[in-house]
Amino acid sequence: MEAPRVAAARAGPLGFVVLLVVGICAGPGCSSSRDDSKQTVESRVKAALSRGDYIGAGREARELIAALESDQSRSTELAEARDDLVEALILGGKGADPATLELAQSNLDTKKRIEGSDSIGVARSLHNLGDVYFQRAEYTKALPLHEAGLDIRSAHRAADEGAVADSLERLATTQMRMERYDLARQNLEKAGAIRSKRAREDPLELAHTLELLAWLYRYSGDYASAKEPLERALESRRRLTPDHPALVTTTELQGDLALFQGDLASAARIWHEALALAERTLGTQHPVISALERRLAYNADVLGNRAEERQRLERALLIAERTRTDCDPELIGVIDLSASSMLYDGEYVEARKRYTRTLDLSERCLGPTNSITAGVVFNFANLSV
């Protein structure tokens, strides 16, 4: 199962500031020109995040950071630029990287030092660090960070309602992965109430909440209830941003629901669409690729295409090993499916090694009562049949 926030950008679109620089500035207006230049770069960062160009956003954020680091009076803006970079890295598939974790943690520490522990700016950094831990599958560390971010935004009168909805969504996403479905649903319903009031101005934000609600129903096994919010999310995304990477996970989920309805042919077609969009907008090594390749490997297995199944599993495993941590449920799922494939082909020794690794990771990281662990135990039992 893929984390549904893998392509859900939070930055809103901002216009570009046109700046013309002629000659060498040495007069009193130079400071203003430098400020305008930094504002231009900041606008480009936000715009790149909004349109789903996460590599470009990261490049622009680094340029802005380099410009601000030389000016000690701009420490708050520097911290915000670093938050932009963290978001770009997460959305671009680098969320599990140790360097991203270090950046998010150090920036939170900086924000607390210069703004205080309960500022609106600190809430953003708390959520960013929580998202990094989520991408690293360290959900017990992500949860209190998102709770703290929500508490800050809820307590501040100056906080925008949309920011509170954002906090509720981030918290619910972590609760989903921890299989705390009732709490997650309550938070998503609160977020949905806020988003619905703002649907005319921010239809894509509502689409994001609806997609998360559909993922919640999918995770909890209530596939029928997932259909309506998913269809609404798909309609908005395809109408407004048909080539945005945020549509990848929405389409992925549509394929999942088709599978659960017994329509494997439609599921495979939809997963192929999602894979093509992901490769086009996120690149060929983004972690979401492993989730889609695993699904298509399952389709190949059902159709009896063993060569395609093994090829897709090899690619899924290679990408997952590079971009995910050992505790990530997607990596666990890929290893588990590859073990089943090897068992079918009579490679019992290697199958046992992979089942053993999968069971160890699942029990240690997710817990013995987690539904993923239960599935791994069931599959491992096939070795004894």
Side-chain angles (χ1 to χ4, degrees):
M1 286 181 271
E2 178 62 25
R5 287 190 55 83
V6 64
R10 315 308 305 158
L14 294 175
F16 289 102
V17 179
V18 178
L19 176 67
L20 298 178
V21 180
V22 179
I24 298 175
C25 178
C30 288
S31 177
S32 175
S33 296
R34 286 195 295 270
D35 289 348
D36 289 346
S37 177
K38 290 169 185 174
Q39 290 169 6
T40 303
V41 177
E42 183 178 2
S43 297
R44 292 203 300 265
V45 174
K46 301 296 187 185
L49 284 171
S50 178
R51 68 175 179 267
D53 178 11
Y54 306 131
I55 294 176
R59 182 174 58 250
E60 298 286 1
R62 286 187 172 91
E63 178 182 334
L64 179 58
I65 289 168
L68 292 169
E69 283 178 332
S70 61
D71 188 345
Q72 294 183 354
S73 68
R74 310 291 287 273
S75 58
T76 299
E77 293 165 80
L78 175 59
E80 287 300 316
R82 286 173 175 160
D83 267 332
D84 286 338
L85 178 57
V86 171
E87 289 185 10
L89 291 169
I90 293 170
L91 293 167
K94 304 294 186 181
D97 194 298
T100 306
L101 174 61
E102 182 180 358
L103 174 63
Q105 181 64 71
S106 65
N107 200 51
L108 174 59
D109 295 340
T110 298
K111 279 276 193 77
K112 288 181 176 180
R113 186 175 67 254
I114 63 178
E115 297 182 17
S117 297
D118 60 351
S119 72
I120 292 293
V122 165
R124 182 190 183 195
S125 299
L126 283 165
H127 284 309
N128 276 351
L129 181 57
D131 284 347
V132 171
Y133 277 123
F134 181 92
Q135 295 299 325
R136 294 177 60 82
E138 297 182 57
Y139 307 120
T140 57
K141 293 182 179 179
L143 186 69
L145 292 164
H146 289 313
E147 290 173 335
L150 173 61
D151 287 344
I152 291 173
R153 286 176 170 174
S154 298
H156 275 260
R157 292 183 179 180
D160 181 78
E161 266 196 319
V164 175
D166 173 73
S167 294
L168 289 164
E169 291 161 357
R170 292 174 191 255
L171 176 57
T173 302
T174 301
Q175 290 168 330
M176 257 190 274
R177 185 58 81 184
M178 299 175 76
E179 300 188 340
R180 300 180 182 181
Y181 299 123
D182 288 341
L183 291 173
R185 186 181 64 254
Q186 291 171 21
N187 286 324
L188 288 178
E189 287 173 352
K190 292 176 185 177
I194 295 172
R195 299 297 194 198
S196 294
K197 291 189 297 183
R198 304 158 55 97
R200 187 181 296 272
E201 307 94 73
D202 294 309
L204 290 174
E205 297 290 359
L206 177 59
H208 177 63
T209 310
L210 291 168
E211 180 184 344
L212 289 178
L213 187 61
W215 276 105
L216 169 65
Y217 289 130
R218 179 254 190 266
Y219 283 155
S220 61
D222 188 359
Y223 308 132
S225 295
K227 182 179 179 181
E228 189 267 342
L230 177 63
E231 288 178 347
R232 291 175 62 191
L234 278 169
E235 190 280 328
S236 294
R237 291 202 189 283
R238 287 174 173 165
R239 175 169 51 86
L240 298 171
T241 52
D243 293 318
H244 196 285
L247 185 56
V248 172
T249 54
T250 326
T251 308
E252 174 190 2
L253 178 54
Q254 183 188 25
D256 287 4
L257 295 185
L259 172 67
F260 298 142
Q261 293 169 355
D263 189 353
L264 182 59
S266 292
R269 174 182 56 78
I270 294 166
W271 290 331
H272 274 291
E273 291 175 4
L275 179 61
L277 178 61
E279 291 179 329
R280 187 169 69 252
T281 60
L282 295 170
T284 59
Q285 298 300 309
H286 192 282
V288 75
I289 302 295
S290 66
L292 294 166
E293 286 287 16
R294 177 172 61 84
R295 285 162 167 77
L296 290 168
Y298 171 80
N299 173 68
D301 175 51
V302 172
L303 297 178
N305 191 336
R306 305 295 300 155
E308 180 185 347
E309 183 206 19
R310 293 294 286 266
Q311 182 181 26
R312 291 193 179 279
L313 278 176
E314 287 175 4
R315 185 188 185 201
L317 185 58
L318 182 63
I319 293 173
E321 293 275 18
R322 287 176 175 173
T323 62
R324 300 177 183 271
T325 61
D326 282 349
C327 288
D328 194 306
E330 180 56 39
L331 176 59
I332 293 172
V334 174
I335 300 171
D336 185 57
L337 186 57
S338 68
S340 297
S341 176
M342 290 180 168
L343 177 63
Y344 183 88
D345 290 339
E347 300 178 36
Y348 301 116
V349 174
E350 184 59 30
R352 178 176 290 278
K353 288 180 180 178
R354 297 196 179 195
Y355 275 137
T356 300
R357 181 187 176 195
T358 303
L359 183 59
D360 173 68
L361 290 174
S362 189
E363 288 183 334
R364 174 165 53 85
C365 299
L366 305 176
T369 62
N370 187 276
S371 62
I372 294 176
T373 304
V376 171
V377 171
F378 178 83
N379 291 336
F380 202 169
N382 289 328
L383 274 173
S384 302
V385 175

